[in-house]
Amino acid sequence: MLRLITDFDGPIIDVSERYYRVYQFCLEKTRRPDQAVKELPKAEFWELKRNRVPEKQIALNSGLDEAQAQEFAQLRRQTVHTQPYFEYDTLAPGAVDALLKIQQAGIDLAVMTMRRVKELDYAFKKYDLDRFFPENRCYCLSNDYVKTRDIEDKPLLMARAIEELPAAADTWMVGDTEADITAAKKHDIKAIAVECGIRDRTQLELYHPDLIVKDLSAAVDLILEPKSFT
């Protein structure tokens, strides 16, 4: 049996609009009423995020001072994973077609995400995605889980998945961050990084995935054509 474990945000869901709306909200909340700030265009903001520029630096680039930048970063952490901002998430182009292709090929499919149960359920219902992921193929955080860092938490999810899932002849992990690559490599699973998420190619290369491809569709095509893996 062939298995594909995919991250959720990035390969399947485009979070860029949510992150940008939160940035706009935090900038407006943090600035003084008479203060001139520079709201970054979405493309510039997202490029900074993909290049892992710290939140404080993004705030400084937007015209906030040092103290405000600290406040901005804290407010952003408190806001980015809350309603109503999840409503701004959209399906990544081609993601559903890629999931259908996986299903039709008989590949065992699981999702592994740093979302909490309620956050994953919300997106599943909104986009009818639970048809691809039965409950015993969903690995996410409990609603009361105290997060540390994704790069530490995600390998723990992977360890649980390996313990619980039936044996597979071959397993691939698809994701868009260093946490996905680290979780896969720590457990000797092949890692495919996608460029459609919150890290650019330069950042992904630092963690040495087995392959870097454009998106989930490209990853699925590669898995179904193993001769192309070098």
Side-chain angles (χ1 to χ4, degrees):
M1 177 175 64
L2 181 60
R3 173 171 295 132
L4 187 152
I5 302 172
T6 181
D7 185 23
F8 193 66
D9 293 337
I12 298 173
I13 294 292
D14 179 350
V15 301
S16 60
E17 186 65 19
R18 165 161 50 108
Y19 279 50
Y20 186 60
R21 295 290 185 121
V22 170
Y23 158 74
Q24 291 177 309
F25 167 78
C26 293
L27 183 62
E28 184 59 30
K29 279 287 187 183
T30 309
R31 67 187 285 269
R32 295 184 298 273
D34 59 343
Q35 183 179 10
V37 294
K38 178 195 172 189
E39 182 181 294
L40 304 176
K42 182 181 175 181
E44 183 179 346
F45 163 79
W46 193 236
E47 184 179 347
L48 293 173
K49 288 297 300 178
R50 283 169 48 78
N51 199 33
R52 294 191 76 189
V53 173
E55 298 297 334
K56 279 185 65 177
Q57 187 59 53
I58 291 175
L60 293 170
N61 291 2
S62 304
L64 300 179
D65 62 31
E66 190 71 33
Q68 289 174 314
Q70 185 67 44
E71 184 184 344
F72 171 96
Q74 184 175 355
L75 181 60
R76 186 263 175 195
R77 279 193 299 273
Q78 294 168 352
T79 308
V80 71
H81 300 301
T82 64
Q83 286 290 10
Y85 291 97
F86 276 111
E87 295 172 16
Y88 293 109
D89 287 347
T90 57
L91 283 169
V96 170
D97 287 342
L99 293 173
L100 284 167
K101 198 169 185 178
I102 294 165
Q103 206 172 54
Q104 289 161 2
I107 295 172
D108 188 59
L109 178 63
V111 64
M112 185 171 294
T113 174
M114 291 290 96
R115 285 193 182 221
R116 301 184 186 281
V117 171
K118 62 184 178 183
E119 298 161 357
L120 187 60
D121 283 348
Y122 171 80
F124 272 10
K125 288 182 175 64
K126 184 174 181 179
Y127 294 111
D128 189 26
L129 294 172
D130 49 0
R131 58 188 161 133
F132 298 110
F133 302 104
E135 192 174 342
N136 64 358
R137 292 297 187 273
C138 294
Y139 289 88
C140 62
L141 303 179
S142 64
N143 290 328
D144 58 356
Y145 187 87
V146 179
K147 292 184 181 181
T148 56
R149 294 191 307 150
D150 287 3
I151 204 165
E152 295 170 2
D153 290 334
K154 202 143 203 179
L156 299 177
L157 277 185
M158 182 65 81
R160 198 180 105 210
I162 289 171
E163 182 179 335
E164 293 178 0
L165 292 172
D170 205 7
T171 302
W172 298 77
M173 174 74 195
V174 176
D176 68 324
T177 71
E178 60 281 357
D180 300 306
I181 299 167
T182 300
K185 292 175 82 72
K186 186 169 183 178
H187 295 282
D188 297 320
I189 290 170
K190 292 188 288 293
I192 302 178
V194 291
E195 294 182 88
C196 60
I198 201 168
R199 298 287 182 261
D200 61 22
R201 177 175 278 266
T202 301
Q203 292 299 318
L204 294 170
E205 285 174 344
L206 296 174
Y207 292 85
H208 309 292
D210 294 282
L211 288 161
I212 301 176
V213 298
K214 178 185 173 185
D215 54 20
L216 182 60
S217 293
V220 172
D221 289 344
L222 185 146
I223 291 168
L224 293 174
E225 296 289 341
K227 291 178 183 176
S228 63
F229 178 67
T230 57

